[in-house]
Structure formats: structure tokens, C-alpha cells
Amino acid sequence: MYQFLFNLSGSEIIATIFTAAVILVFILLFVLFAVWFERKVSAHMQDRLGPMRVGWHGVLQTIADFVKMLQKEDIIATEADRKLYTIAPVLVFTGSFAAYAAIPFSSKLLGSEVEVGIFYLLAVSSFVVAGILMAGWSSNNKYSLLGAMRSAAQIVSYEIPTALVVLSIVMLTGTLSLEKISQLQTAYFWNWNIFGGPEFSLAKFLLIPFMFVGFLIIYISTLAEVNRTPFDIPEAESELVAGYFTEYCGMKWAMFMLSEYANMFAVSAIVTILFFGGYQSPFGYLGNSIGAEWLVPFEQAFWFIAKGIFFVFVQMWLRWTLPRLRVDQLMTVCWKYLIPYAFLNLIIVGFISLL
Amino acid sequence: MDRISQIYNDEKLLKKLYDDPNIAIEDALENEMVINMGPQHPATHGVLRLVLRLDGETVMNIVPELGYLHRGYEKMAENMSYIEYIPHTDRLDYTGTMCNNVAYVLAVEKLAGIEAPKRAQYIRMIVSELSRIAAHLVAIGTFAMDVGAVTMVMWTFREREKINNIFDRLAGARFTTSYTRIGGVASDIDSETIAMTQQFLEELGLALVEMDKLVLSNRIFIERLEEIGILPKEDAIALGVTGPNLRASGVEYDVRRAKPYLYYNEIDFRIPTFTEGDCLARYFQRGDEVKESAKILKQCLDKMPQGEVIANDPKRVLSYKTEIYSKMEELIHDFMIINQGINPPVGDTYFSVENPKGELGFYIVSNGTGNPWKLKINSPSFCNLQAISQICKGAMVSDVVAIIGSLDPVMGEADK
């Protein structure tokens, strides 16, 4: 994408801006969809209909809400730290937006081909913690502060199992580039990393159970990283009102929601790339078989987004089914279960890939 | 003091801290935070206010503050006739309105010496048990919601909706029913309402199984509630906790069995009890009581006799409107009752019933006029809230929310 635009315009700046704009538009569209989708999923799980008035089955509800949000008065409490309070939502969104730069939507639609893509993703996604802490501190509200502290502890802890699982994939594939990890899992779905990778050998079959364990660990810890139920204690509605964004309203609040939903897709994308073949189709491309090569990247983008949305759906499904953990239990899950298992998994995967 | 100046060696900051009336430096050094939960808080079930002293997330001390929903119902009763007060009993425990109606009317009947017909008594039992199921469903649902399982509350409200529809047919109102009258009930129960009740009972069994599947097969839910907010048997008795919370601590006390009223002595039912006394036991307790109530309801529907639903005592009990409009005697009595009241004999009485939240009692003192001279409400939610400061100590903020949910106070009743 970037390369194509660069060739077309001959200017780095224009190419960068356009690529960023395409991704931003994708995020906004996705969030518009995801908010509506979440409300529909929750409604149907609870014997309700959800939004029905605005547009067909309420599809335009999010737009109506967005317009309402734009009209809201921007209230800043007198005792709040104005500067940090204003920067915080922007910073949080920057963290999740920056993560999209390295995510390969298809072999052509890729913001920036970073060689250390997965490393970059892990680094940038922890940027969000700073924003959350800022929001909690600057609001000058005890509930916000409690939420922010919980969130910081949680995100920092859960990055460790995530990183350990990522390491096992890196050992298997021998690359940090998200693009290359996706490319390796080409052709049919049994070449995906969850099924032991593309190489057909004994190691592939030995790897399958450990890859499933790895997938479960990373999925659980990414749930915690995006503060979704059962790990939504930073914004635990019934305890902390709304956690670190209790004091926010209007567009600033909308920025937090935007980054939350953007993060949901980003972590789903990571899981998809690492374990479920990234943008690769599970059974070949229509474009290749009818001889229309230009169709392939679009198909890839379709598969990538479809897989991502499926994992987002699972996140929503969990949210409306599970209760919420307590703070100490949350830490127990991470430090006593996930990290030792992730370590063990890492060692075993290492040995198997030596075979 | 030295320690303080060591930490705050910046003089300006220190002076500012000393001058600030809102900050107690000793508290700041102890790493404690005073946090105000409620009266506007999603988890405090109305307008309960709790002041928590936290060390990190652990609760060091907790002080409940009541009275935000105080409407002076006890005082208001003194300026109302006995009949006028019935609608106000709806507003006490607004999740189980019918039980309150029945309790008040039974107290007045005991005071005035009126006996309602047997069919009316059976209808009162039916509506009480329906109301108990509704209240427990709300309790279970909101409890699960406090712990984070939001779907549960929708499912329990779906079942409760059916009860509201039954009340709508029966009393003409879904929520604030005001159904009972002194000497009987407002209207007879017809065959369609009975059919609706039977159908509801059939569906309730399935729904309860479904709800249990949602939360009880869930390890997170169990771990959040097990051994949290333990209320030992002795403490429960000493603190005056009543109702399901008392029985969950292992005390087999139910007014329906201890001092049978209505026709509960003709009904075969079990009093479920648990010995653990923790939040999970209180959850199971309510689930089991719903099942028992369903059993009572089935028996009541079978045993209900035919006959009048309001006592034939024109001097003290209001007649049907049709009779008032067509007969002279009834018109005169209606006029007298409405204007002067039923004038029970001088004396006092206390009558208590088993409400969804516990033992609800009315103490009425009469001086022979149409208005009660004094009416005192013994409200179970108020009694249950006594326990909160004891069992929350040492818990975490998340547990406080679960404990409030498990005690299930209704502030309309606690504040009166």
C-alpha cells in the first residue's frame, strides 16, 4: 500500500498520510460496526432486541450516538489536572492506532513493513498504560485512580505471558516480521501455526497440542490487556462506576471507547497472525483460480478482517457470559498459572522445533 | 511529627498539607484512603451510602449511612386512616409489594379483630409467594450483576415480568399493587389468572435450571463468592439478621413455620438452610426458597376453596362498589368508614410475616379513632444492614459489592 502510493505520488509524506488515513477510516468504520454489534450480541444473549429504531435493526444507532456525543459539553472538573486530562485520551488512542501501522491486512495493504513487527506491536500497545494512568491521576477522583492503578498492574502483568507465547512463535518461524509470519502460513488451513506450521514433519504433529495451549494463553492475556470481561476490573461497572474514565464525557470519553474497540481488533489481529494464518485464506483464492490476480489482496483483506471479527465476537460472547474476577484473583491467574504454563510451553516448543 | 517532616521536607508542601482541612496527614502516612461509595453508585441498590477506609484495595473499616430515602412513613400513618395507608406499604420493599400489603392488612385485622374469608386468605398466600419469587429473582439477578454477570439480570427480569403480568390482571397494577383490603382482597382470582400462574410455574422450573447453568457451572462466579462475607450463626443472631440471610447462616427460623399465619400450617413445605453463611450460601438460599415458594403455590392453587373474598362485616369492612351504589345501608357504612375510619378498639398489636427480605413486622397502637396513634415498622432490610460493617472488614472493594448484593437490602424499606 505504502509502496504503491509512493510510486504513484513520488512523495513520502503523501504516501504516509494516505496510508494512515486508510487505516484510520478502517478503525472508525470498525468501531461503528463493533459498538452496534456488541449491543446486538448482548441483546440477543439476553432475550432482548437491542437498538431497533435508527436504521435497519438499528445499524445507524452508533452514528446517532456519535452525533449526540459531539454535541455534549466538554466538562473538566476544576480540581482536575487540565493538561494531563486533555492529553490522556489522545495518548490512549495513539497507542492503539500506532499498533495498526504494522498489522498486515493483506499482502498489499500494509501500513509499514517493520522487520521487528511483533516486537513493535508489543511495545506500542503498552503505550496505552501511560494514557490510562494519566487519565486516572489527572481526573482527581478516587475511583478513577483505583481503576488506573488496577489497569496498570493488570496490563503490565499480562504482557509477560503474551510475550512468552509470541517468543515461542518466533522460535518456530524464525522471524519477527508479521508479514513474513503470515506468508509462511500460506495455502491451506493445516499450514497455520495452530496446526504446527507449514512444514510437514513429525514436529508438526507434536506441536499441535502445545500450539493450542499457546493460543489459549495468548487469547486470555490479550483479553486482559484490552480490559475485557472477565478481566474488566479497571472499569468494573458495579465497583468503580467506570474506572479511569469516570470523569470523562463527550468526545474525550468517545476517544476512550474508540481506542477500546480499536484495541479489541488489534489484539484479535495479533492472535490471527500468530496462530490462524494472518490474511491467508483457509482454502486457496478465487482470484488465482479464475486468473484475476488483482483480486487476491482483496480476498486476503476479507479473510483477515473476517477472522479478526470472529475473535472480537468471541470476546463479546465471553463478556456477556462471564462474571468478573477480583483483583487478587486476576493476579493469581497471571502469575501462578499463565506465566509458568507459558514458560513450560516455550521450552517444549523450543525442543520440538529443534527436532 | 518528625517522620512527617522527613517525608515532606518541602516546607511549602508541608504547610499546604497542614492547612488543608480535608487531608489528615496521619491518614496519608498510613497509606489509607477514605472513599465514599454511594448514595449514587451502581452497586449500592438504591441510595445506600457506605464510607470505606481502604488500605490499597482492602477495606479497613466501613460505615453504612442510611436515611437518603427516608419518607417518614411511620409518621405519615398517624394522619391517615387504616385503609388509606395500604398503598404506602407498596413503597416499602418495592420488589415484593404484595407481601407488604398482606403484612399490614393482617396486622390491622388482628388489631380490629376482623377475620377474612378462607378464600381471601388463600389468595393472600398465593400473591405473597408470587411476590416472594419476584423479589428473590430480582435479588439473584442484581447480585449476579454486581459480580459482573450482566446477562443474569435480564433473564431473571424476564421471569419476573410474567409475575408482573399476573399482578396486572389481579390488582390492575403491575408494580405498586395495593391489592389487599382490610377484611379481604380487592378482587377475586379468576380462572385465567390461575392458568397464567400455573403456566408461569411450569416455565419457572426450566428457567431456574437455565440460570443455574449460566452461573453455577462457572468457576469465576464460585470463586468470587465462596468464603466471602462469612456471617457465623452466633453473629447472625446477635446482629438481628433476618430472612434468607439468617437461614443461610444456619438458623432455621421462618415466621411461616415459627408463628404460622394465613393458612401456612395447612401447607407442606421445607425451610431450606445452609451452614456456610457466606455470599455463595446466600445465593443458593434464595434459589432454594424460590423452589419452595413454587411448591407452596402449587398446593395453594389446589387447596383454594370457593367463596367470598371479602368479609361480610359492613361496619368495618368496605363492601363492593356495586352494593354501595345500589343499597342504602352499604352506602351509609361506606360513608362512615371513609370519613371516620374503622375505629379499632383501644390497644396495641404487633404482627409479623415472612417477607422476601426477612421478618417484616407492624406494631400498631390504636386509641380508638380512625387513624393509628402510632405505627412502627420493623423492616428486615434495616436489620440486615446491621451486619454490613462487621462482615466487610478485611474484604476487598470488589467483595463489598458482592456482600451488599448478597445481603440484598432494599433502601425503600430500610429508610422507610
Side-chain angles (χ1 to χ4, degrees), chain B residues 32-63:
Chain B
E32 284 181 359
M33 178 159 81
V34 177
I35 195 166
N36 182 42
M37 194 184 249
Q40 311 292 332
H41 189 279
T44 54
H45 290 217
V47 286
L48 172 64
R49 179 180 176 217
L50 299 169
V51 183
L52 310 172
R53 180 182 283 276
L54 298 180
D55 181 8
E57 288 239 1
T58 316
V59 178
M60 308 303 287
N61 211 342
I62 181 167
V63 182

Side-chain angles (χ1 to χ4, degrees), chain B residues 90-105:
Chain B
D90 289 337
R91 276 81 175 168
L92 289 175
D93 170 8
Y94 39 76
T95 57
T97 51
M98 285 288 199
C99 290
N100 304 334
N101 294 161
V102 172
Y104 171 71
V105 167

Side-chain angles (χ1 to χ4, degrees), chain A residues 42 45-48 142-143 145-146 150 229-230 233 237-241 319-329 337, chain B residues 33-37 41-43 57 145-151 154-155 158 214 218 220-221 223-224 228 396 398-399 401:
Chain A
S42 70
M45 283 180 73
Q46 300 174 344
D47 284 356
R48 296 185 285 123
K142 286 169 181 170
Y143 285 106
L145 189 63
L146 268 180
R150 281 178 174 192
T229 311
I233 58 156
E237 199 190 331
S238 54
E239 295 156 28
L240 298 183
V241 192
R319 171 166 177 185
W320 297 103
T321 310
L322 293 179
R324 161 187 323 122
L325 284 167
R326 211 169 51 214
V327 189
D328 54 329
Q329 289 167 346
Y337 299 103
Chain B
M33 178 159 81
V34 177
I35 195 166
N36 182 42
M37 194 184 249
H41 189 279
E57 288 239 1
M145 187 173 68
D146 288 340
V147 186
V150 190
T151 300
M154 292 294 166
W155 290 10
R158 178 187 66 195
L214 179 68
N218 191 326
I220 300 174
F221 190 77
E223 293 217 338
R224 270 299 299 276
I228 296 299
M396 305 189 86
S398 320
D399 296 337
V401 171

Side-chain angles (χ1 to χ4, degrees), chain B residues 209-338:
Chain B
V209 173
E210 198 183 31
M211 287 171 203
D212 279 355
K213 263 193 210 159
L214 179 68
V215 288
L216 295 183
S217 57
N218 191 326
R219 188 136 171 224
I220 300 174
F221 190 77
I222 305 286
E223 293 217 338
R224 270 299 299 276
L225 302 180
E226 209 168 14
E227 312 213 332
I228 296 299
I230 296 175
L231 185 63
K233 193 173 175 178
E234 296 74 34
D235 289 3
I237 296 170
L239 286 163
V241 171
T242 76
N245 302 326
L246 180 69
R247 291 191 284 276
S249 292
V251 185
E252 196 179 338
Y253 177 76
D254 188 319
V255 186
R256 287 175 294 177
R257 177 63 52 78
K259 293 177 247 170
Y261 55 98
L262 297 173
Y263 284 97
Y264 277 113
N265 49 5
E266 288 183 5
I267 305 287
D268 169 40
F269 66 101
R270 194 172 63 84
I271 302 169
T273 50
F274 285 82
T275 49
E276 292 86 354
D278 56 358
C279 287
L280 192 63
R282 290 194 276 272
Y283 176 87
F284 282 129
Q285 178 70 33
R286 294 203 166 79
D288 282 10
E289 286 191 11
V290 168
K291 283 168 203 154
E292 285 304 309
S293 289
K295 224 164 85 184
I296 297 173
L297 265 174
K298 275 186 197 129
Q299 293 178 42
C300 285
L301 289 173
D302 289 343
K303 289 188 176 172
M304 188 169 58
Q306 293 298 325
E308 286 292 312
V309 293
I310 196 138
N312 188 14
D313 187 356
K315 279 196 191 296
R316 289 182 300 177
V317 176
L318 283 174
S319 307
Y320 290 123
K321 275 278 180 260
T322 46
E323 291 181 16
I324 293 165
Y325 290 144
S326 56
K327 291 175 186 165
M328 196 62 213
E329 282 285 298
E330 269 79 4
L331 180 63
I332 293 167
H333 287 312
D334 181 74
F335 185 76
M336 293 303 280
I337 290 173
I338 294 296

Side-chain angles (χ1 to χ4, degrees), chain A residues 196-212:
Chain A
E199 244 175 274
F200 192 79
S201 62
L202 177 67
K204 178 181 163 77
F205 293 101
L206 286 176
L207 271 175
I208 293 175
F210 298 104
M211 281 295 141
F212 267 97

